[in-house]
Amino acid sequence: LDTKEFHSFMFFDTSSLPDNCVVITVKLNWRVTSFAGSDRAITNKVYIGSNTIGSTLEAADYGDTITNGVLLGSMTLNTAGAKTLSSSSSVITGEVNLTGYTNIEMDAYWNSSIGPSSCMITIATQDNGTSAYRPTLEVTYEIPQIISVNII
């Protein structure tokens, strides 16, 4: 099979989360603004990590082997529109950076031997003029309660 693969990256500043919080869920919202070049579904896998690719993009970040972060989820893309992936704390424990940026790696795959050799998926960015289209990362968390009991 001649599989084509694209990597894209998003960064979210999660440093305002409390240092002692326990992350319960993470929900990534984004919008595919256009989808063209293929009549079949594209597999999209999304990875989350507190130090997925470092502070700058390097050539190796676009490599064929995905080893960064943990899988937040996978979905089939074949239309434009709003998209959402969410995960529980058992999957993302330790992957939300409480002191800096939480990184998202989005990887798209399709088999070009049965279709076009090129495809295009356009995702709205922070710079998008429509604020509702901008990617968001929703983090649900709790603060552990410390209870002290005096036994006499």
Side-chain angles (χ1 to χ4, degrees):
L1 295 177
D2 185 16
T3 302
K4 300 291 184 180
E5 178 178 333
F6 286 106
H7 302 281
S8 57
F9 302 95
M10 295 183 210
F11 307 90
F12 294 94
D13 184 356
T14 49
S15 62
S16 63
L17 294 171
D19 291 340
N20 61 337
C21 77
V22 176
V23 175
I24 305 300
T25 61
V26 171
K27 182 177 178 183
L28 175 66
N29 302 294
W30 77 99
R31 185 171 194 86
V32 174
T33 56
S34 66
F35 180 89
S38 178
D39 60 356
R40 70 203 41 75
I42 292 177
T43 301
N44 189 62
K45 292 184 178 180
V46 179
Y47 296 83
I48 184 171
S50 60
N51 192 20
T52 304
I53 59 174
S55 59
T56 60
L57 291 174
E58 309 278 334
D61 295 326
Y62 295 95
D64 291 335
T65 305
I66 300 167
T67 58
N68 300 325
V70 297
L71 184 65
L72 178 61
S74 181
M75 67 179 4
T76 299
L77 296 177
N78 55 10
T79 60
K83 310 296 179 191
T84 299
L85 278 177
S86 59
S87 187
S88 65
S89 61
S90 62
V91 175
I92 49 93
T93 299
E95 298 301 330
V96 175
N97 190 344
L98 302 180
T99 61
Y101 286 89
T102 297
N103 305 317
I104 302 291
E105 177 182 339
M106 299 181 80
D107 300 330
Y109 308 88
W110 77 94
N111 182 351
S112 63
S113 66
I114 59 171
S117 60
S118 65
C119 185
M120 182 180 74
I121 302 172
T122 306
I123 298 173
T125 66
Q126 175 63 29
D127 301 327
N128 191 290
T130 306
S131 61
Y133 289 3
R134 296 175 183 158
T136 60
L137 186 68
E138 297 175 28
V139 179
T140 305
Y141 65 89
E142 62 184 26
I143 305 293
Q145 298 291 328
I146 299 175
I147 300 172
S148 71
V149 177
N150 292 329
I151 300 176
I152 302 177

